[in-house]
Amino acid sequence: PSVVKVFTETGSGSGSLISKEGLILTNWHVVKDAKKVGIVFMPEKGKKVTEDNFLEGEVVKINGEADLALVKIDKVPANAKPLYITREDPEIGQDVHAIGHPKGGSDWTYTKGYISQLNYDDNWSYEATLHKVKLMIQSQTPINPGNSGGPLFNLKGQVVGMNSQIVSRSGGYMGLSFAIPIDVVMTIVEQLKNGGQVARGWLGVHIQDVTSDLAESFGMDRPYGAVVAKVIPEGPAASSDLQTGDVIIAFEGKKIELSSELPPLVGVTPVNKVAKIKVVRAGKIKIITVKIGLLPEQPQTAAASTQP
């Protein structure tokens, strides 16, 4: 009963109750341009939707770039509890399921699938903004229009992501769906609640994957990590010992296998935090510290998927 249908005069989607004070999380594209929204709480198993399930909410915080919105309701139903947010990292092959209220449907849907890719990447540019479909969780979980904003769960009933995009040519599900990782979501939520501004961490480098030839030239036993192709002048890394040609293999204790794994880790790191970075330089391991900066504003680009 903590999953909700979110509807406005122009459309509908799904959402999740994330606080006992009545904060509901959904996608910005579900509620954009709306001041007042309708909320319908999913009924308990075996029960029907009644007038008690219908509430009015107000959009209180939005971030269009991240496609997130917070809706506030004045009274939380007695049987509704905030969903459990996991801090465990999702894994490829992990079974997941989604709950939502499809557009045009009369009932709720429960679908199952698995995570097929993490940090979905398509010609990633480090200077691009953090929160885009290319950094989402890709899964083979059926998601249909109207499920946007709803939760993606693991088998423990913990929320691992927020369903946000589907790959579609016809408007319906075609085999791939995307969810914003819940750690990214909650970092943005906390920033929206505390100050209304989303501050993304910035390292100030251009990166690329390590090829087999590069790995051999760097004295590495296999290709992995993110090679620093350029240190941006006057960026945060320019004031550190990080150098062009360094291969970043870990950031704040988290291993980096592909270059696409680094940007989201940096992006959710608090600005001004001194981060520890493990690199390979001339065949040797070095630990470098960099004071994380604020990612400069960047023009938005069109997402390559359909918003359900």
Side-chain angles (χ1 to χ4, degrees):
S2 299
V3 181
V4 302
K5 176 181 179 180
V6 181
F7 61 93
T8 69
E9 292 181 353
T10 58
S12 66
S14 302
S16 304
L17 179 69
I18 60 170
S19 80
K20 60 183 180 181
E21 291 78 28
L23 279 181
I24 289 171
L25 175 69
T26 188
N27 279 134
W28 167 76
H29 75 259
V30 171
V31 298
K32 63 181 179 181
D33 302 325
K35 294 296 182 182
K36 297 292 184 180
V37 298
I39 299 293
V40 181
F41 271 82
M42 181 180 177
E44 293 182 275
K45 186 176 181 180
K47 294 186 178 182
K48 295 183 178 180
V49 174
T50 67
E51 290 185 0
D52 293 335
N53 295 94
F54 287 81
L55 296 168
E56 186 177 271
E58 180 182 4
V59 179
V60 292
K61 296 286 185 180
I62 62 170
N63 185 265
E65 182 181 70
D67 198 17
L68 299 181
L70 292 176
V71 176
K72 180 73 166 58
I73 57 175
D74 292 331
K75 184 180 179 181
V76 177
N79 62 345
K81 296 181 181 180
L83 293 178
Y84 184 81
I85 305 298
T86 182
R87 295 298 179 183
E88 297 178 9
D89 292 332
E91 298 179 355
I92 293 176
Q94 181 179 18
D95 291 329
V96 289
H97 56 272
I99 298 176
H101 197 287
K103 191 178 298 182
S106 60
D107 209 345
W108 302 81
T109 58
Y110 168 91
T111 56
K112 296 194 295 183
Y114 62 93
I115 293 174
S116 54
Q117 189 173 348
L118 297 172
N119 298 323
Y120 176 75
D121 182 29
D122 181 16
N123 297 321
W124 169 256
S125 166
Y126 197 89
E127 281 65 45
T129 48
L130 170 66
H131 313 292
K132 290 194 167 53
V133 65
K134 61 186 67 177
L135 290 181
M136 288 185 177
I137 297 170
Q138 174 184 301
S139 77
Q140 260 70 12
T141 307
I143 303 294
N144 291 297
N147 285 112
S148 275
L152 184 71
F153 295 96
N154 61 21
L155 294 187
K156 298 178 183 178
Q158 303 166 333
V159 181
V160 299
M162 183 176 75
N163 298 313
S164 186
Q165 305 269 354
I166 59 175
V167 172
S168 175
R169 294 187 182 92
S170 62
Y173 174 73
M174 292 185 65
L176 290 178
S177 57
F178 298 93
I180 306 174
I182 199 62
D183 57 342
V184 173
V185 170
M186 295 312 296
T187 296
I188 298 171
V189 166
E190 288 305 312
Q191 293 177 346
L192 289 175
K193 286 166 58 178
N194 294 332
Q197 298 295 320
V198 177
R200 297 177 300 281
W202 185 45
L203 192 56
V205 295
H206 288 227
I207 56 173
Q208 65 184 61
D209 281 333
V210 178
T211 64
S212 296
D213 289 342
L214 285 174
E216 184 177 352
S217 68
F218 294 147
M220 301 170 65
D221 58 355
R222 64 181 180 88
Y224 69 104
V227 61
V228 177
K230 178 182 178 181
V231 176
I232 298 173
E234 300 182 2
S239 300
S240 74
D241 186 38
L242 197 63
Q243 300 176 9
T244 299
D246 285 346
V247 179
I248 299 173
I249 59 173
F251 180 86
E252 283 291 281
K254 293 192 175 183
K255 295 180 180 179
I256 305 296
E257 287 290 330
L258 300 173
S259 62
S260 60
E261 296 173 358
L262 180 60
L265 293 177
V266 176
V268 297
T269 302
V271 174
N272 293 324
K273 177 181 175 61
V274 178
K276 291 184 179 180
I277 302 174
K278 182 184 289 188
V279 306
V280 175
R281 180 185 297 171
K284 297 182 179 180
I285 302 293
K286 289 181 65 70
I287 302 296
I288 295 171
T289 58
V290 179
K291 186 176 182 180
I292 300 300
L294 175 66
L295 181 68
E297 290 296 325
Q298 297 293 322
Q300 296 187 26
T301 59
S305 298
T306 300
Q307 295 173 326

